[in-house]
Amino acid sequence: MTSRYRSSKTSEGLNSLTPRRRTVVKAAAATAVLAGPLAATLPARAVDQAPAFLHGVASGDPLPDGVLLWTRVTPVPEAIPGSGLGPDTEVSWVVARDKAFTTVVAKGSTTATAASDHTVKADIRGLEPATDYWFRFSAGGTDSPAARTRTAPAADAAVTNLRFGVASCANWEAGHFSAYRHLATRGDLDAWLHLGDYIYEYGTGEYGTRDKVVRPHAPAHEIVTLADYRVRHARYKTDPDLQALHAAAPVVAIWDDHEFANDTWSGGAENHTEGAEGAWSARQAAAKQAYFEWMPVRPAIAGTTYRRLRFGKLADLSLLDLRSFRSQQVKVGDGEVDDPDRTLTGRAQLDWLKSGLKASDTTWRLVGNSVMISPFAIGSLSADLLKPLAKLLGLPQEGLALNTDQWDGYTDDRRELLAHLRANAIRNTVFLTGDIHMAWANDVPVDAGTYPLSPSAATEFVVTSVTSDNLDDIVRVPEGTVSAVASPVIRAANRHVHWVDTDRHGYGVLDITAERAQMDYYVVSDRTKRDATATWARSYRTRSGTQKVERTYDPV
C-alpha cells in the first residue's frame, strides 16, 4: 500500500535540542563514569550486540490524523545514554493497521545522532481518526519491539466513550512499577496520562525509600548535568512494566518538579544550590532537553509542556506547565500567598487556559494539572501525624493551614480562574492531578470557607503515587493505619473533599461519557514486589452539569 506520509532523513525537530559540543576527552570520561551503573540494568545483549533498541518504543500526543512515535537506538555498545558517543545511525519506522505489519500505511526514516542522545521522534500524520495502529523502528537490520498506538477521534465526532489511564510520581528506588503493568494489560485505554514526576532527581537513598532502596538509581548521585538527566531517563526506560505500558497505548505527559528538582520554580528549586550545583538556568535547560529527547511529547509553546488536545465532541484536555513560570514558593502564614503579583501559571498561560475553557464546545473540559487546585487545610491533626504530613507536602512542621507549592500558595491565580468559570457558566471542568502521593476526590469550591453553601466551580480527581512515599511509608506503620485517622480529620476541615486515601500506591482509570466522568481508583498490593497485584479501591464520578463529585459503588 502506498504510504500516506513520508519523511525525509531529518532529526524530526530535535536539532533545536542539540547540546553544547563536548571534547572527545570529556565524552570518554563520561562514558567511563556512566557505563558501570547504567549497564547493570541493561540486557546482556547491550554489551555485545548493536544496533539495539534497549529502551523500548513509545507513542504520545495523539491527534485525529496522527501521533508522535519515539525510540532510542544503541548503535554501538559504547553509545550508552549520556556518553555523547556513537555514530549517526539511520532509523526507519513503519506504521500498520495490524500487528503483523501486512497493511502498512506509513513509513519513513530519520537519523539518530549523539546530539540527541540517539533518541528519535517521528511525528506521523495522514492517519485515520479513532483507529488502532501498530508501529516499530528498525536500524542496521534490527527491529524494535512492535507497539500499539491509537489516534484521537475526529474533532467533530460524536464520541460515546473515552477511557484514560492516569498515573504520577514514580520513584525508581522505592519499588517496582507494577501499576504501569496493570494499566498495560487492560487493553482498553484510548491513551494514558502521566501527571508529573515521571523521574526523580535525587541521589541513591536520598528520597523516600523507608530506609530500603529496592533498586538503585543511575547515576547514583543527584542528577544535575545533561548527561545525568539522560542517564536517569534511560534507567527508567529499562523498566519492563513502563516499557509495556508505552507499547500498549499513547501517553499524554506533563512535567512536575522532580523532572527538574524538588519544588521547582522559574528561578530555582528547593533542591538546588547555585554555588555547588551551578547556575539554575543551565540545570533547567539540561532537564528540559533530556525530557524532550526521552519522552514522546511535542514541545508545545516556547519549549514548555502546556498544550491542548481534543477528543471529538466529548472532551478536550488542557495540559498545564506549572513549573516554568511560577513565582517562588513562600512560607505559610506570611500573607504573600494572596499577592496578585505572584503567579503559578504565568500570565500568558493563564490567559491561554481561560480562553480555551471559554471557547470549548466539548461536553467535558479536562485539565491536566500537576499540583492540587482544591484548597487544603490540615485542621487539628495530632503531632505524630502533623509532622510526617507536613514533610510529605513540603510544609513547615510547626503548624500550618496550606501547601504553598500547590495552588494554595497562589490564591490570586486560583480565584481568577474559578471566577472565570463561574462568570462564563463554564460547566464540566475536571482537574486531573498528581504530585501529592495520595488519592483524592474533590469539589473545587469558589469559597472553601462557606462551602457547601457557596457553589463549586469544578471537580478534581487526584491520583496517588506509583511508588513514591505516602503517609504510612513515612510514619512506618501498616498500610491503612494513617488514613483511618487522618482522612476523617482532613474531610472535617475540608468539606469539599469527598474522599482521601493517604496510604496506598496505585493508579486511576478515567472513563468519560456524555452523562458523567468517573475515576476508578486502583491500588497495588506491595510496591516493593515485582509481581504485586492490583485491586479496585473506590470510584467517584461527576455528573454532567453538577460541578460536584459523588461516590459510585462499582468501577466501570
Side-chain angles (χ1 to χ4, degrees), residues 394-448:
L395 295 167
Q397 298 181 26
E398 65 274 8
L400 34 99
L402 46 77
N403 178 352
T404 64
D405 188 58
Q406 297 179 167
W407 286 77
D408 273 339
Y410 306 85
T411 59
D412 195 69
D413 277 2
R414 182 170 61 195
R415 276 194 298 269
E416 181 177 336
L417 178 57
L418 299 184
H420 176 75
L421 296 178
R422 292 287 297 168
N424 293 281
I426 299 171
R427 306 191 313 163
N428 295 352
T429 302
V430 180
F431 291 89
L432 305 171
T433 306
D435 175 69
I436 201 170
H437 308 179
M438 309 178 205
W440 303 66
N442 304 325
D443 298 336
V444 184
V446 174
D447 184 348

Side-chain angles (χ1 to χ4, degrees), residues 171-175 203-215 391-392 437 467-482 502-505 525-528:
N171 180 13
W172 176 277
E173 293 203 328
T204 289
E206 293 179 358
Y207 182 77
T209 53
R210 205 173 185 176
D211 296 331
K212 178 184 179 182
V213 173
V214 176
R215 48 184 184 168
K391 179 181 179 182
L392 179 64
H437 308 179
T467 59
S468 302
D469 271 9
N470 38 36
L471 278 187
D472 66 310
D473 300 315
I474 294 174
V475 180
R476 301 179 185 181
V477 294
E479 184 178 275
T481 304
V482 178
T502 66
D503 289 7
R504 294 183 288 182
H505 304 280
S525 57
D526 187 337
R527 63 175 175 166
T528 68

